[in-house]
């Protein structure tokens, strides 16, 4: 196998024990030449992630609250790691600089980035790898838009100078050299960028689970693991994937056709899940996974002869645009259209929105269905098998679940159903057992 770029998440960098596991994984294959790391995460449930503490530090200084104690807690965590790993990376000097910058109004992005920066410095020293900072290599415009191609060039040119390196995840720089981070969980993106820039054959993303499961284990008992999934399927299952892999981490690897392998630092023998462009259905498998999301509201709009009225949908969309509200799905009938919207976008806008609809659309009726959930059943195998939809709907009917909405993509890769949130778990279990024995 050729070059491997690997990324280790916060739980893999949480303490000396975890970082020793990282070392044995990296050393067990000499192809693992480029290693991206997160800031130290939680060591136990009630523990704090370093990134959260760094954001808190910023909040405290903004409110003129004393920050000394908190800064000390963060510093001690790194001093402890430095001693435990037996490396010398001048944590004391680094923190003197951080404190100085803090006093001079350092940004939240700069502070948050120090978690990854110090983590990478320490792990580089521990592995005996070069440390390659992403400042000046992962590039954003002045407005904070990420620059894919410029980054690929700068990062590629720098990595070519190193046989082996540890690289901090999560951040890069604006044109003036100040630090800019991705959104939370963004080290996954850096890993993908490094894989592309280094022309890796595989991007291994090491976390604390052995890849994706076919359903949420809190709902379905012992769901099966997904060994292979295509980029397209994962996108459809984004409700499920989000907690394991940052959504934007797929794009760079996908551009360069590099498979992403999700692996478990605590169970390195598990093969994990491979995400790739390969969209041949797995043999004998109809569905790849089932996942859903709660907290949607459906707004049903009914108007006689709607289908003959030009510009009706456009008016609906422009009202939503005025309120800055995105739509998840728009199932429609001849004289009806339903808007499925995530509750988080409606919060204090719902009343005004409905009033505007009533005023501007001349609809015969507008109905609200709250507490709705969406469930996506996804699988490349669905297109080639007859009766998949029937099997799914029968399973839901047998389980006593009332289906309130149906949406099937024309690619036949997915079927989305809307159900009342009270039926969410029952529906997922029913669909899972209808397809997986
Ligand atoms: N440390 C950052 C976070 O907690 C980035 C990352 O871990 O990917 O969001």
């Amino acid at each position: 196998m050729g070059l491997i770029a690997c990324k280790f998440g916060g739980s893999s960098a949480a303490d000396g024990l975890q970082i020793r596991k990282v070392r044995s994984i990296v050393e067990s294959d000499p192809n693992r030449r480029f290693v991206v790391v997160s800031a130290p995460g939680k060591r136990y449930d009630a523990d704090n992630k370093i990134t959260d503490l760094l954001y808190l530090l910023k909040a405290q200084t903004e409110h003129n609250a004393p920050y000394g104690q908190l800064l000390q807690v963060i510093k001690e965590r790194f001093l402890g790691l430095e001693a435990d790993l037996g490396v010398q990376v001048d944590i004391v000097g680094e923190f003197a600089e951080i404190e100085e910058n803090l006093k001079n109004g350092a940004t939240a992005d700069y502070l948050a980035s120090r978690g990854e920066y110090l983590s990478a410095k320490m792990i580089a020293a521990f592995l005996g790898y070069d440390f390659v900072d992403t400042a000046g290599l992962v590039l954003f415009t002045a407005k904070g838009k990420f620059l894919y191609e410029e980054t690929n060039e700068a990062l590629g040119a720098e990595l070519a100078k190193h046989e082996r390196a540890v690289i901090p995840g999560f951040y890069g720089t604006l044109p003036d050299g100040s630090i800019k981070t991705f959104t939370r969980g963004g080290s996954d993106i850096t890993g993908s960028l490094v894989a592309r820039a280094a022309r890796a054959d595989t991007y291994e993303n090491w976390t604390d689970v052995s890849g994706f499961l076919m359903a949420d284990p809190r709902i379905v008992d012992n769901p099966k693991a997904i060994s292979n999934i295509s980029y397209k399927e994962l996108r459809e299952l984004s409700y499920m994937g989000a907690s394991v892999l940052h959504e934007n981490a797929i794009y760079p690897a996908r551009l360069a056709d590099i498979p992403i392998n999700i692996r478990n630092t605590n169970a390195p023998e598990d093969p994990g899940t491979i995400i790739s462009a390969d969209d041949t259905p797995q043999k004998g498998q109809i569905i790849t996974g089932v996942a859903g999301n709660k907290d949607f509201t459906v707004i049903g709009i009914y108007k006689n002869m709607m289908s003959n009225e030009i510009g009706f949908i456009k008016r609906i969309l422009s009202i939503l645009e005025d309120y800055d509200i995105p739509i998840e799905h728009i199932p429609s009938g001849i004289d009806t259209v339903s808007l499925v919207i995530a509750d988080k976008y409606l919060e204090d806008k719902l009343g005004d929105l409905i009033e505007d609809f009533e005023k501007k659309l001349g609809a015969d009726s507008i109905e609200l269905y709250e507490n709705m959930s969406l469930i996506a059943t996804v699988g490349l195998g669905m297109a080639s098998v007859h009766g998949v939809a029937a099997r799914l709907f029968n399973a839901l009917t047998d389980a006593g679940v009332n289906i309130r909405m149906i949406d099937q993509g024309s690619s036949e890769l997915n079927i989305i159903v809307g159900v009342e949130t009270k039926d969410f778990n029952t529906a997922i279990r029913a669909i899972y057992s209808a397809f997986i024995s």
Side-chain angles (χ1 to χ4, degrees), residues 179-361:
I179 298 283
K180 163 90 186 135
T181 63
F182 291 115
T183 51
R184 296 298 305 265
S187 300
D188 286 342
I189 307 174
T190 314
S192 189
L193 297 171
V194 165
R196 180 182 177 215
R199 299 173 195 277
D201 289 288
T202 309
Y203 168 26
E204 287 178 348
N205 188 293
W206 291 83
T207 171
D208 55 2
V209 290
S210 296
F212 295 114
L213 299 172
M214 296 181 83
D216 185 339
R218 288 166 301 186
I219 301 174
V220 171
D221 274 345
N222 279 321
K224 288 192 177 163
I226 300 179
S227 58
N228 290 273
I229 185 167
S230 67
Y231 298 129
K232 274 190 223 151
E233 288 171 301
L234 187 62
R235 189 72 197 105
E236 298 293 342
L237 280 174
S238 59
Y239 296 147
M240 167 172 91
S243 59
V244 179
L245 185 72
H246 194 297
E247 237 192 331
N248 299 344
I250 299 195
Y251 182 67
R254 187 175 181 173
L255 271 184
D257 205 4
I258 301 169
I260 305 173
N261 188 187
I262 309 286
R263 301 283 295 265
N264 187 348
T265 300
N266 304 316
E269 61 292 347
D270 289 355
T273 301
I274 295 177
I275 310 162
S276 72
D278 182 4
D279 48 17
T280 35
Q282 296 287 301
K283 252 191 134 187
Q285 186 178 300
I286 302 173
I287 71 162
T288 304
V290 49
N293 226 2
K294 296 177 184 172
D295 304 325
F296 289 97
T297 292
V298 178
I299 304 174
I301 301 172
Y302 175 82
K303 186 175 188 190
N304 197 20
M305 305 301 278
M306 179 192 290
S307 57
N308 294 351
E309 192 174 322
I310 292 170
F312 190 78
I313 301 275
K314 190 171 156 197
R315 268 187 285 151
I316 295 181
L317 296 183
S318 78
I319 297 172
L320 288 167
E321 197 177 348
D322 291 345
Y323 283 83
D324 217 6
I325 296 176
I327 315 168
E328 192 82 12
H329 284 282
I330 320 184
S332 61
I334 288 282
D335 285 335
T336 63
V337 54
S338 301
L339 312 169
V340 184
I341 300 172
D343 289 344
K344 64 177 180 228
Y345 298 115
L346 289 173
E347 277 167 3
D348 42 3
K349 300 178 182 168
L350 185 61
D352 291 344
L353 178 71
I354 299 293
E355 214 172 278
D356 250 15
F357 277 161
E358 279 166 351
K359 246 192 283 168
K360 296 181 181 158
L361 297 176

Side-chain angles (χ1 to χ4, degrees), residues 7-15 18-19 37-43 49 77 116 119 187 206-208:
K7 178 257 167 178
F8 290 88
S11 57
S12 308
D15 58 21
Q18 291 301 94
I19 296 173
V37 294
S38 282
K42 290 184 182 192
R43 294 159 291 186
K49 290 173 105 176
R77 185 101 187 255
E116 272 56 26
S119 178
S187 300
W206 291 83
T207 171
D208 55 2

Side-chain angles (χ1 to χ4, degrees), residues 389-430:
R391 206 199 286 190
L392 190 145
F393 299 141
N394 282 338
L396 291 176
T397 311
D398 290 348
V401 174
N402 186 7
I403 307 170
R404 305 294 297 269
M405 186 208 95
I406 301 168
D407 198 353
Q408 177 169 30
S410 51
S411 61
E412 290 191 51
L413 188 68
N414 64 0
I415 298 177
I416 293 172
V417 292
V419 301
E420 285 172 40
T421 296
K422 68 172 174 48
D423 292 332
F424 184 75
N425 289 2
T426 314
I428 290 201
R429 275 186 219 116

